[in-house]
């Protein structure tokens, strides 16, 4: 019973983070499962299968709360699904661990840029009608994000969310909702590829079902939360999570000594907290200015 509660809690927290910030279900749930001593291969199989249900619940919730750009979601689904299926089928023959550090460096830079944009540039105002994404841009993005999601143990949200968010043509909640909704098809394709290449033997249904249960409960809460969060604050939260997640990947890839971890994480958390405080302060100033202009 104790383990049942633990796995439900893991699924709940992972989906709450993913549904509200547009990424990190796989990273969060896998990390928490590994913390409890679950073998990496079993954790990966269980998480991917659980994602099929949790992403469906999350997508439906975001759709209900109006957080989805339907046109973009449909244009991301096909290339993302193809990339995820191919990546899952060839997982055992691909150097996913070698690719991760290079992707993380790119995402780390995007994370800093996103925080900068929402704090210094136009983060306090609604999204400007910038240049819309074309199919020529979305197809390679979907293919790369889906492929790396399957081969690297997570990548759809961490890649698609910051890239879309770095453009000014969509507000933050629409980016999060669109990425989360299209992730259902990506998770389903990755699972099919995983089953074809590796079979069902590594799946522990007890863990899958408990992860699903926690995720389904968290999905509507996260979708409601992302609708209520101001875009400037949501952007800073997403940017900080991108930085924290990818620094962790780089530290593991570079085999950094154990004492380095708490120091680096501590500095990131302090900087992230300061950025959140500044975002809240800027938001209050923006509201005060709007009231003065209205009066």
């Amino acid at each position: 019973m104790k383990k049942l509660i633990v796995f439900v809690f893991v699924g709940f927290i992972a989906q709450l983070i993913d549904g509200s910030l547009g990424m990190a279900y796989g990273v969060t749930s896998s990390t928490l499962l590994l913390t409890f001593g679950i073998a990496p291969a079993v954790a990966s199989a269980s998480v991917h299968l659980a994602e099929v249900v949790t992403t469906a619940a999350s997508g439906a919730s975001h759709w209900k709360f109006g957080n989805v750009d339907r046109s973009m979601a449909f244009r991301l689904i096909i290339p993302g699904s193809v990339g995820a299926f191919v990546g899952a089928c060839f997982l055992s023959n691909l150097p996913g661990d070698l690719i991760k550090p290079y992707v993380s460096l790119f995402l780390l830079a995007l994370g800093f840029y996103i925080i900068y944009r929402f704090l210094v540039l136009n983060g306090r105002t609604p999204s400007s009608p910038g240049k819309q994404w074309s199919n020529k841009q979305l197809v390679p993005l979907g293919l790369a994000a889906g492929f790396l999601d399957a081969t690297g143990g997570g990548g759809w949200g961490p890649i698609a969310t910051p890239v879309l968010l770095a453009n000014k043509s969509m507000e933050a909640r629409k980016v999060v909702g669109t990425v989360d909704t299209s992730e259902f098809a990506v998770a389903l394709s990755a699972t099919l590829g995983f089953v074809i290449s590796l079979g069902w033997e590594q799946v522990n249904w007890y863990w899958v079902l408990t992860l699903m249960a926690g995720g389904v409960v968290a999905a509507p809460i996260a979708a409601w939360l992302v609708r209520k969060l101001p875009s400037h604050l949501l952007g800073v939260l997403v940017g900080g999570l991108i930085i924290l997640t990818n620094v962790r990947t780089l530290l593991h890839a570079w085999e950094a000594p154990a004492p380095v971890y708490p120091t680096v994480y501590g500095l990131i958390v302090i900087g992230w907290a300061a950025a959140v405080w500044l975002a809240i302060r800027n938001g209050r100033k923006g509201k005060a200015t709007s009231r003065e202009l209205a009066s």
Side-chain angles (χ1 to χ4, degrees):
M1 184 63 185
K2 183 178 180 180
K3 185 173 285 189
L4 172 66
I5 296 174
V6 167
F7 280 109
V8 171
F9 178 74
V10 167
F12 180 87
I13 294 298
Q15 183 56 47
L16 188 65
I17 294 172
D18 186 89
S20 57
L21 298 183
M23 68 185 72
Y25 179 88
V27 173
T28 304
S29 54
S30 296
T31 300
L32 292 173
L33 288 177
L34 293 173
T35 301
F36 287 101
I38 308 303
V42 178
S44 177
S46 302
V47 167
H48 272 87
L49 192 54
E51 273 190 303
V52 174
V53 173
T54 58
T55 52
S58 180
S61 300
H62 279 298
W63 196 286
K64 179 180 179 181
F65 284 106
N67 299 333
V68 181
D69 183 320
R70 301 181 183 186
S71 173
M72 182 171 289
F74 286 126
R75 288 188 290 160
L76 280 172
I77 283 174
I78 295 177
S81 299
V82 172
F85 182 81
V86 172
C89 288
F90 293 95
L91 176 61
S92 59
N93 299 317
L94 292 172
D97 290 338
L98 296 177
I99 296 172
K100 269 188 175 182
Y102 298 101
V103 176
S104 291
L105 283 172
F106 168 70
L107 295 176
L108 191 64
L110 272 180
F112 281 110
Y113 171 73
I114 288 168
I115 289 181
Y116 172 77
R117 183 169 80 79
F118 277 88
L119 283 180
V120 181
L121 302 180
N122 298 337
R124 297 192 300 271
T125 61
S127 299
S128 59
K131 185 178 180 180
Q132 297 297 317
W133 289 88
S134 66
N135 289 333
K136 290 182 179 180
Q137 294 171 312
L138 290 178
V139 168
L141 173 62
L143 286 170
F147 183 80
L148 291 170
D149 184 83
T151 59
W156 180 253
I159 292 175
T161 299
V163 170
L164 293 176
L165 200 59
N167 188 290
K168 298 179 182 180
S169 62
M170 287 179 68
E171 56 184 310
R173 71 178 182 92
K174 287 274 189 177
V175 171
V176 172
T178 300
V179 171
D180 257 31
T181 300
S182 56
E183 191 175 9
F184 165 71
V186 175
L188 181 61
S189 298
T191 300
L192 289 174
F194 181 83
V195 170
I196 291 173
S197 58
L198 297 178
W200 296 100
E201 291 78 9
Q202 292 185 337
V203 177
N204 187 307
W205 289 100
Y206 173 83
W207 297 335
V208 170
L209 292 174
T210 49
L211 285 172
M212 286 179 180
V216 167
V217 173
I221 299 174
W224 173 83
L225 185 63
V226 76
R227 183 179 175 85
K228 296 297 181 182
L229 284 174
S231 62
H232 60 274
L233 180 57
L234 185 60
V236 171
L237 289 172
V238 172
L241 184 61
I242 294 166
I243 293 170
L244 187 64
T245 301
N246 289 286
V247 163
R248 175 183 175 275
T249 301
L250 290 172
L251 289 176
H252 280 288
W254 294 337
E255 299 180 351
V260 172
Y261 283 73
T263 302
V264 173
Y265 290 158
L267 291 173
I268 292 173
V269 170
I270 292 171
W272 193 5
V276 170
W277 178 78
L278 287 172
I280 294 173
R281 190 191 67 172
N282 291 343
R284 288 174 177 173
K285 285 184 177 180
K287 287 182 179 179
T289 302
S290 299
R291 285 195 293 267
E292 290 176 3
L293 292 174
S295 61

